[in-house]
Amino acid sequence: MSLLAIRVLGDPILRRATTPVESFTPELQLLIDDMFETMHAAKGVGLAAPQVGRNERLTVVDVHGARHVLINPEIIEREGSLKWEEGCLSIPEIYGDVMRAARVVVRALDREGNQFEVEGTELLGVCLQHEIDHLHGKLFIDHLSFLKRQKALAQWEEEKTKYPNLVRTIVPGEEQETEL
Ligand code: K1U
Ligand code: ZN
């Protein structure tokens, strides 16, 4: 397994829609394993394929030790609303309050291609919505008000100088800065 480089805001791949997965190949299994390793090393609870430079409609999530591989996920139920302070492994050090559905049900395929549904509230619900947004080229800053988004983008102009070529390299065991 390997750690993958995380693309940061400004890399066009984060703004592209993904392509549905049709084949459950050994290469896909390796990508999934590498994404879990990278997400854990970066101390995140989710990671979407575009964040590691890929266009597969695929995300991995690990909230409170419950791991999910979500391939071609769709939100099939939404209920209520909540406000959550979000960050993003692709926009380190930038945070903002986002309004999300309080409860979602997501239908997806697992790594073998079997359909399943997962219900999420609180952190899991927010994480599922954040990751599915990534698969549609959407980022949490797009949910902020105009002024808060401008402020976040101004902060990012300074932060992004730490990421030559818009790449964030995760060093195993090194303290990561993106923790909520
Ligand atoms: O996709 C990503 O950038 C990962 C991101 C997803 C996310 C989940 C929930 C709220 C906002 C964003 C993260 O994993 S950042 C959150 C994080 O690192 C964390 C949150 C709670 C406990 C521990 C870590
Ligand atoms: Zn993110």
Side-chain angles (χ1 to χ4, degrees), residues 4-7 13-14 16 18 31-32 34-36 38-39 44-62 68 70-71 73 88-90 127-139:
L4 305 172
I6 296 181
R7 309 297 180 92
I13 196 150
L14 294 174
R16 282 186 206 131
T18 49
L31 174 61
I32 292 167
D34 288 347
M35 286 176 63
F36 270 118
T38 304
M39 177 190 73
V45 292
L47 187 68
Q51 294 181 276
V52 292
R54 304 285 299 234
N55 73 346
E56 288 89 346
R57 195 160 298 162
L58 156 69
T59 178
V60 298
V61 165
D62 184 349
H68 301 281
L70 298 117
I71 295 171
C88 179
L89 297 179
S90 293
C127 186
L128 289 167
Q129 292 171 78
H130 180 112
E131 299 310 326
I132 291 171
D133 269 359
H134 271 300
L135 301 179
H136 297 283
K138 192 159 184 174
L139 301 172

Side-chain angles (χ1 to χ4, degrees), residues 83-103:
K83 186 160 74 175
W84 200 277
E85 189 185 44
E86 296 192 21
C88 179
L89 297 179
S90 293
I91 323 176
E93 293 302 302
I94 308 298
Y95 303 96
D97 287 339
V98 176
M99 293 302 300
R100 299 280 190 186
R103 172 184 165 273

Side-chain angles (χ1 to χ4, degrees), residues 3-177:
L3 286 176
L4 305 172
I6 296 181
R7 309 297 180 92
V8 301
L9 181 60
D11 188 318
I13 196 150
L14 294 174
R15 291 310 196 169
R16 282 186 206 131
T18 49
T19 303
V21 172
E22 288 176 359
S23 316
F24 295 79
T25 59
E27 290 73 25
L28 184 77
Q29 307 304 322
L30 185 61
L31 174 61
I32 292 167
D33 291 340
D34 288 347
M35 286 176 63
F36 270 118
E37 190 181 1
T38 304
M39 177 190 73
H40 287 136
K43 299 195 166 38
V45 292
L47 187 68
Q51 294 181 276
V52 292
R54 304 285 299 234
N55 73 346
E56 288 89 346
R57 195 160 298 162
L58 156 69
T59 178
V60 298
V61 165
D62 184 349
V63 171
H64 305 316
R67 292 183 184 208
H68 301 281
V69 174
L70 298 117
I71 295 171
N72 305 341
E74 283 176 81
I75 298 177
I76 58 167
E77 281 181 40
R78 297 168 200 269
E79 196 182 311
S81 64
L82 60 64
K83 186 160 74 175
W84 200 277
E85 189 185 44
E86 296 192 21
C88 179
L89 297 179
S90 293
I91 323 176
E93 293 302 302
I94 308 298
Y95 303 96
D97 287 339
V98 176
M99 293 302 300
R100 299 280 190 186
R103 172 184 165 273
V104 289
V105 178
V106 174
R107 180 177 290 158
L109 303 177
D110 67 16
R111 64 191 299 159
E112 276 96 35
N114 303 307
Q115 188 174 288
F116 70 100
E117 288 175 13
V118 55
E119 178 184 312
T121 58
E122 300 187 336
L123 180 59
L124 177 58
V126 171
C127 186
L128 289 167
Q129 292 171 78
H130 180 112
E131 299 310 326
I132 291 171
D133 269 359
H134 271 300
L135 301 179
H136 297 283
K138 192 159 184 174
L139 301 172
F140 83 88
I141 52 169
D142 303 336
H143 292 276
L144 303 179
S145 68
F146 179 80
L147 283 177
K148 287 186 174 159
R149 188 167 190 267
Q150 292 307 110
K151 193 173 165 207
L153 289 173
Q155 285 175 337
W156 176 245
E157 280 306 303
E158 288 187 23
E159 278 299 314
K160 82 172 184 195
T161 59
K162 297 179 185 165
Y163 304 97
N165 302 317
L166 301 173
V167 163
R168 177 179 179 198
T169 307
I170 304 299
V171 179
E174 194 173 87
E175 198 57 40
Q176 299 300 319
E177 291 176 344

